[in-house]
Amino acid sequence: VRSADDCQVKYLSYASPSLNFTKFSKEENLKILELVHLHNGNPRWDDVAATLGGGRTAWHCFCHFQRKLNSKLRSRPWTPEEDELLLKYI
């Protein structure tokens, strides 16, 4: 059974009509990168969302950064050493 608080959090995070689920704009991407840089890679995501405005949540901003903008996590080809380790353990 869900509590009233659980329902409110779910609504405010996923169902509220005030939320913006559209693709992040180039300007929003640049602002996120700027704020991450200004805070040495560890911004307060609530502040990032508030700065962007437009119905973005802290969680959406964080996830977008990690999935699309974080150069440390961008995909790259596997190295031969990584291939070898993978094959060793499967």
Side-chain angles (χ1 to χ4, degrees):
V1 175
R2 305 277 184 207
S3 71
D5 288 340
D6 291 338
C7 294
Q8 182 181 23
V9 167
K10 183 75 168 183
Y11 176 78
L12 293 174
S13 299
Y14 295 100
S16 173
S18 66
L19 295 177
N20 180 357
F21 291 107
T22 62
K23 184 177 176 181
F24 281 74
S25 70
K26 187 179 224 180
E27 292 78 18
E28 288 174 314
N29 286 339
L30 291 173
K31 183 51 89 172
I32 291 170
L33 289 170
E34 176 187 348
L35 292 169
V36 168
H37 177 73
L38 285 173
H39 294 93
N40 298 315
N42 192 25
R44 287 182 36 117
W45 292 102
D46 287 335
D47 293 342
V48 172
T51 300
L52 291 182
R56 301 294 189 190
T57 68
W59 180 249
H60 294 136
C61 292
F62 171 76
C63 289
H64 178 70
F65 173 73
Q66 294 297 343
R67 292 178 182 147
K68 303 291 183 181
L69 304 174
N70 189 348
S71 62
K72 294 177 184 175
L73 298 179
R74 288 200 186 131
S75 62
R76 58 170 174 70
W78 286 52
T79 66
E81 294 80 16
E82 291 168 330
D83 283 337
E84 188 176 313
L85 276 173
L86 177 64
L87 292 172
K88 179 179 176 181
Y89 290 105
I90 57 171

